[in-house]
PDB file of all heavy atoms in Angstrom:
ATOM      1  N   PRO B 330      36.995-165.671 106.272  1.00  0.00           N
ATOM      2  CA  PRO B 330      36.379-166.700 107.113  1.00  0.00           C
ATOM      3  C   PRO B 330      36.444-166.366 108.618  1.00  0.00           C
ATOM      4  O   PRO B 330      35.496-166.611 109.357  1.00  0.00           O
ATOM      5  CB  PRO B 330      37.209-167.945 106.796  1.00  0.00           C
ATOM      6  CG  PRO B 330      38.534-167.438 106.335  1.00  0.00           C
ATOM      7  CD  PRO B 330      38.294-166.080 105.739  1.00  0.00           C
ATOM      8  N   ASN B 331      37.563-165.792 109.064  1.00  0.00           N
ATOM      9  CA  ASN B 331      37.716-165.502 110.489  1.00  0.00           C
ATOM     10  C   ASN B 331      38.806-164.456 110.683  1.00  0.00           C
ATOM     11  O   ASN B 331      39.969-164.754 110.421  1.00  0.00           O
ATOM     12  CB  ASN B 331      38.081-166.792 111.250  1.00  0.00           C
ATOM     13  CG  ASN B 331      37.964-166.617 112.757  1.00  0.00           C
ATOM     14  OD1 ASN B 331      37.273-165.738 113.246  1.00  0.00           O
ATOM     15  ND2 ASN B 331      38.675-167.465 113.482  1.00  0.00           N
ATOM     16  N   PRO B 332      38.487-163.252 111.091  1.00  0.00           N
ATOM     17  CA  PRO B 332      37.152-162.791 111.471  1.00  0.00           C
ATOM     18  C   PRO B 332      36.244-162.584 110.265  1.00  0.00           C
ATOM     19  O   PRO B 332      36.731-162.332 109.168  1.00  0.00           O
ATOM     20  CB  PRO B 332      37.440-161.435 112.140  1.00  0.00           C
ATOM     21  CG  PRO B 332      38.669-160.939 111.469  1.00  0.00           C
ATOM     22  CD  PRO B 332      39.493-162.167 111.180  1.00  0.00           C
ATOM     23  N   THR B 333      34.950-162.657 110.504  1.00  0.00           N
ATOM     24  CA  THR B 333      33.994-162.303 109.459  1.00  0.00           C
ATOM     25  C   THR B 333      33.700-160.811 109.556  1.00  0.00           C
ATOM     26  O   THR B 333      33.814-160.217 110.624  1.00  0.00           O
ATOM     27  CB  THR B 333      32.677-163.068 109.622  1.00  0.00           C
ATOM     28  OG1 THR B 333      32.127-162.787 110.901  1.00  0.00           O
ATOM     29  CG2 THR B 333      32.900-164.566 109.471  1.00  0.00           C
ATOM     30  N   VAL B 334      33.341-160.231 108.408  1.00  0.00           N
ATOM     31  CA  VAL B 334      32.993-158.802 108.371  1.00  0.00           C
ATOM     32  C   VAL B 334      31.640-158.670 107.694  1.00  0.00           C
ATOM     33  O   VAL B 334      31.458-159.150 106.571  1.00  0.00           O
ATOM     34  CB  VAL B 334      34.053-157.988 107.592  1.00  0.00           C
ATOM     35  CG1 VAL B 334      33.653-156.512 107.536  1.00  0.00           C
ATOM     36  CG2 VAL B 334      35.432-158.152 108.216  1.00  0.00           C
ATOM     37  N   ALA B 335      30.672-158.079 108.395  1.00  0.00           N
ATOM     38  CA  ALA B 335      29.319-157.961 107.828  1.00  0.00           C
ATOM     39  C   ALA B 335      28.803-156.535 107.990  1.00  0.00           C
ATOM     40  O   ALA B 335      28.966-155.925 109.032  1.00  0.00           O
ATOM     41  CB  ALA B 335      28.369-158.925 108.529  1.00  0.00           C
ATOM     42  N   PRO B 336      28.205-156.002 106.914  1.00  0.00           N
ATOM     43  CA  PRO B 336      27.699-154.626 106.960  1.00  0.00           C
ATOM     44  C   PRO B 336      26.257-154.528 107.472  1.00  0.00           C
ATOM     45  O   PRO B 336      25.451-155.420 107.237  1.00  0.00           O
ATOM     46  CB  PRO B 336      27.741-154.193 105.494  1.00  0.00           C
ATOM     47  CG  PRO B 336      27.615-155.454 104.714  1.00  0.00           C
ATOM     48  CD  PRO B 336      28.042-156.605 105.579  1.00  0.00           C
ATOM     49  N   TYR B 337      25.971-153.447 108.190  1.00  0.00           N
ATOM     50  CA  TYR B 337      24.618-153.107 108.631  1.00  0.00           C
ATOM     51  C   TYR B 337      24.395-151.632 108.345  1.00  0.00           C
ATOM     52  O   TYR B 337      25.343-150.863 108.352  1.00  0.00           O
ATOM     53  CB  TYR B 337      24.456-153.329 110.136  1.00  0.00           C
ATOM     54  CG  TYR B 337      24.742-154.726 110.579  1.00  0.00           C
ATOM     55  CD1 TYR B 337      26.024-155.091 110.952  1.00  0.00           C
ATOM     56  CD2 TYR B 337      23.732-155.676 110.620  1.00  0.00           C
ATOM     57  CE1 TYR B 337      26.295-156.385 111.348  1.00  0.00           C
ATOM     58  CE2 TYR B 337      23.992-156.965 111.013  1.00  0.00           C
ATOM     59  CZ  TYR B 337      25.277-157.317 111.379  1.00  0.00           C
ATOM     60  OH  TYR B 337      25.545-158.593 111.766  1.00  0.00           O
ATOM     61  N   ALA B 338      23.142-151.257 108.152  1.00  0.00           N
ATOM     62  CA  ALA B 338      22.856-149.839 107.937  1.00  0.00           C
ATOM     63  C   ALA B 338      21.550-149.478 108.603  1.00  0.00           C
ATOM     64  O   ALA B 338      20.595-150.253 108.567  1.00  0.00           O
ATOM     65  CB  ALA B 338      22.762-149.533 106.449  1.00  0.00           C
ATOM     66  N   SER B 339      21.519-148.323 109.257  1.00  0.00           N
ATOM     67  CA  SER B 339      20.241-147.816 109.753  1.00  0.00           C
ATOM     68  C   SER B 339      20.346-146.329 110.023  1.00  0.00           C
ATOM     69  O   SER B 339      21.343-145.842 110.547  1.00  0.00           O
ATOM     70  CB  SER B 339      19.812-148.543 111.016  1.00  0.00           C
ATOM     71  OG  SER B 339      20.517-148.078 112.130  1.00  0.00           O
ATOM     72  N   LYS B 340      19.325-145.607 109.631  1.00  0.00           N
ATOM     73  CA  LYS B 340      19.191-144.175 109.874  1.00  0.00           C
ATOM     74  C   LYS B 340      20.453-143.387 109.528  1.00  0.00           C
ATOM     75  O   LYS B 340      20.939-142.589 110.325  1.00  0.00           O
ATOM     76  CB  LYS B 340      18.819-143.937 111.338  1.00  0.00           C
ATOM     77  CG  LYS B 340      17.468-144.570 111.710  1.00  0.00           C
ATOM     78  CD  LYS B 340      16.770-143.769 112.780  1.00  0.00           C
ATOM     79  CE  LYS B 340      16.846-144.390 114.138  1.00  0.00           C
ATOM     80  NZ  LYS B 340      16.312-143.544 115.185  1.00  0.00           N
ATOM     81  N   GLY B 341      20.994-143.635 108.352  1.00  0.00           N
ATOM     82  CA  GLY B 341      22.125-142.846 107.872  1.00  0.00           C
ATOM     83  C   GLY B 341      23.477-143.366 108.307  1.00  0.00           C
ATOM     84  O   GLY B 341      24.504-142.967 107.769  1.00  0.00           O
ATOM     85  N   GLU B 342      23.462-144.242 109.288  1.00  0.00           N
ATOM     86  CA  GLU B 342      24.727-144.781 109.793  1.00  0.00           C
ATOM     87  C   GLU B 342      25.006-146.140 109.144  1.00  0.00           C
ATOM     88  O   GLU B 342      24.094-146.924 108.927  1.00  0.00           O
ATOM     89  CB  GLU B 342      24.622-144.946 111.308  1.00  0.00           C
ATOM     90  CG  GLU B 342      25.876-145.499 111.949  1.00  0.00           C
ATOM     91  CD  GLU B 342      25.762-145.500 113.469  1.00  0.00           C
ATOM     92  OE1 GLU B 342      25.110-146.409 114.010  1.00  0.00           O
ATOM     93  OE2 GLU B 342      26.297-144.591 114.087  1.00  0.00           O
ATOM     94  N   VAL B 343      26.278-146.387 108.847  1.00  0.00           N
ATOM     95  CA  VAL B 343      26.663-147.703 108.349  1.00  0.00           C
ATOM     96  C   VAL B 343      27.605-148.326 109.371  1.00  0.00           C
ATOM     97  O   VAL B 343      28.430-147.638 109.968  1.00  0.00           O
ATOM     98  CB  VAL B 343      27.351-147.606 106.971  1.00  0.00           C
ATOM     99  CG1 VAL B 343      27.751-148.979 106.463  1.00  0.00           C
ATOM    100  CG2 VAL B 343      26.427-146.940 105.969  1.00  0.00           C
ATOM    101  N   LYS B 344      27.443-149.635 109.579  1.00  0.00           N
ATOM    102  CA  LYS B 344      28.311-150.316 110.530  1.00  0.00           C
ATOM    103  C   LYS B 344      28.909-151.562 109.888  1.00  0.00           C
ATOM    104  O   LYS B 344      28.294-152.180 109.018  1.00  0.00           O
ATOM    105  CB  LYS B 344      27.513-150.761 111.759  1.00  0.00           C
ATOM    106  CG  LYS B 344      26.855-149.629 112.519  1.00  0.00           C
ATOM    107  CD  LYS B 344      26.188-150.170 113.777  1.00  0.00           C
ATOM    108  CE  LYS B 344      24.863-149.495 114.029  1.00  0.00           C
ATOM    109  NZ  LYS B 344      24.149-150.036 115.181  1.00  0.00           N
ATOM    110  N   LEU B 345      30.105-151.909 110.333  1.00  0.00           N
ATOM    111  CA  LEU B 345      30.703-153.186 109.933  1.00  0.00           C
ATOM    112  C   LEU B 345      30.989-153.960 111.218  1.00  0.00           C
ATOM    113  O   LEU B 345      31.688-153.471 112.106  1.00  0.00           O
ATOM    114  CB  LEU B 345      32.006-152.975 109.162  1.00  0.00           C
ATOM    115  CG  LEU B 345      31.908-152.369 107.765  1.00  0.00           C
ATOM    116  CD1 LEU B 345      33.310-152.155 107.189  1.00  0.00           C
ATOM    117  CD2 LEU B 345      31.092-153.255 106.817  1.00  0.00           C
ATOM    118  N   ARG B 346      30.442-155.158 111.285  1.00  0.00           N
ATOM    119  CA  ARG B 346      30.688-155.987 112.461  1.00  0.00           C
ATOM    120  C   ARG B 346      31.834-156.941 112.152  1.00  0.00           C
ATOM    121  O   ARG B 346      31.731-157.771 111.257  1.00  0.00           O
ATOM    122  CB  ARG B 346      29.429-156.776 112.802  1.00  0.00           C
ATOM    123  CG  ARG B 346      29.530-157.589 114.076  1.00  0.00           C
ATOM    124  CD  ARG B 346      28.192-158.266 114.344  1.00  0.00           C
ATOM    125  NE  ARG B 346      28.128-158.824 115.683  1.00  0.00           N
ATOM    126  CZ  ARG B 346      28.524-160.045 116.004  1.00  0.00           C
ATOM    127  NH1 ARG B 346      29.020-160.842 115.076  1.00  0.00           N
ATOM    128  NH2 ARG B 346      28.423-160.479 117.237  1.00  0.00           N
ATOM    129  N   VAL B 347      32.928-156.796 112.874  1.00  0.00           N
ATOM    130  CA  VAL B 347      34.092-157.677 112.704  1.00  0.00           C
ATOM    131  C   VAL B 347      34.040-158.684 113.844  1.00  0.00           C
ATOM    132  O   VAL B 347      34.218-158.336 115.013  1.00  0.00           O
ATOM    133  CB  VAL B 347      35.403-156.875 112.750  1.00  0.00           C
ATOM    134  CG1 VAL B 347      36.593-157.781 112.452  1.00  0.00           C
ATOM    135  CG2 VAL B 347      35.367-155.715 111.756  1.00  0.00           C
ATOM    136  N   ALA B 348      33.753-159.948 113.511  1.00  0.00           N
ATOM    137  CA  ALA B 348      33.541-160.975 114.542  1.00  0.00           C
ATOM    138  C   ALA B 348      34.550-162.096 114.391  1.00  0.00           C
ATOM    139  O   ALA B 348      34.680-162.681 113.318  1.00  0.00           O
ATOM    140  CB  ALA B 348      32.121-161.519 114.446  1.00  0.00           C
ATOM    141  N   ALA B 349      35.268-162.387 115.463  1.00  0.00           N
ATOM    142  CA  ALA B 349      36.289-163.438 115.408  1.00  0.00           C
ATOM    143  C   ALA B 349      35.927-164.593 116.330  1.00  0.00           C
ATOM    144  O   ALA B 349      35.399-164.393 117.418  1.00  0.00           O
ATOM    145  CB  ALA B 349      37.647-162.866 115.809  1.00  0.00           C
ATOM    146  N   LYS B 350      36.225-165.775 115.880  1.00  0.00           N
ATOM    147  CA  LYS B 350      36.045-166.973 116.700  1.00  0.00           C
ATOM    148  C   LYS B 350      37.427-167.395 117.171  1.00  0.00           C
ATOM    149  O   LYS B 350      38.348-167.550 116.369  1.00  0.00           O
ATOM    150  CB  LYS B 350      35.412-168.068 115.842  1.00  0.00           C
ATOM    151  CG  LYS B 350      34.945-169.266 116.614  1.00  0.00           C
ATOM    152  CD  LYS B 350      34.120-170.195 115.715  1.00  0.00           C
ATOM    153  CE  LYS B 350      33.513-171.283 116.573  1.00  0.00           C
ATOM    154  NZ  LYS B 350      32.505-172.049 115.859  1.00  0.00           N
ATOM    155  N   ALA B 351      37.567-167.562 118.482  1.00  0.00           N
ATOM    156  CA  ALA B 351      38.886-167.898 119.020  1.00  0.00           C
ATOM    157  C   ALA B 351      38.724-168.513 120.414  1.00  0.00           C
ATOM    158  O   ALA B 351      37.623-168.547 120.954  1.00  0.00           O
ATOM    159  CB  ALA B 351      39.758-166.641 119.095  1.00  0.00           C
ATOM    160  N   VAL B 352      39.846-168.974 120.982  1.00  0.00           N
ATOM    161  CA  VAL B 352      39.767-169.642 122.282  1.00  0.00           C
ATOM    162  C   VAL B 352      39.543-168.649 123.424  1.00  0.00           C
ATOM    163  O   VAL B 352      39.107-169.041 124.501  1.00  0.00           O
ATOM    164  CB  VAL B 352      41.035-170.478 122.587  1.00  0.00           C
ATOM    165  CG1 VAL B 352      41.093-171.687 121.657  1.00  0.00           C
ATOM    166  CG2 VAL B 352      42.290-169.627 122.459  1.00  0.00           C
ATOM    167  N   SER B 353      39.876-167.386 123.191  1.00  0.00           N
ATOM    168  CA  SER B 353      39.689-166.395 124.253  1.00  0.00           C
ATOM    169  C   SER B 353      39.439-165.039 123.633  1.00  0.00           C
ATOM    170  O   SER B 353      39.653-164.839 122.430  1.00  0.00           O
ATOM    171  CB  SER B 353      40.930-166.313 125.136  1.00  0.00           C
ATOM    172  OG  SER B 353      41.995-165.748 124.382  1.00  0.00           O
ATOM    173  N   GLU B 354      39.003-164.092 124.479  1.00  0.00           N
ATOM    174  CA  GLU B 354      38.753-162.751 123.984  1.00  0.00           C
ATOM    175  C   GLU B 354      40.043-162.127 123.452  1.00  0.00           C
ATOM    176  O   GLU B 354      40.040-161.457 122.422  1.00  0.00           O
ATOM    177  CB  GLU B 354      38.180-161.898 125.123  1.00  0.00           C
ATOM    178  CG  GLU B 354      37.472-160.667 124.624  1.00  0.00           C
ATOM    179  CD  GLU B 354      36.718-159.924 125.729  1.00  0.00           C
ATOM    180  OE1 GLU B 354      35.847-160.549 126.362  1.00  0.00           O
ATOM    181  OE2 GLU B 354      37.010-158.747 125.946  1.00  0.00           O
TER     182      GLU B 354
END
Side-chain angles (χ1 to χ4, degrees):
Chain B
N331 192 22
T333 58
V334 179
Y337 302 90
S339 78
K340 298 211 256 173
E342 180 174 79
V343 180
K344 300 185 219 177
L345 291 176
R346 185 177 192 271
V347 185
K350 190 170 188 168
V352 291
S353 68
E354 199 171 302

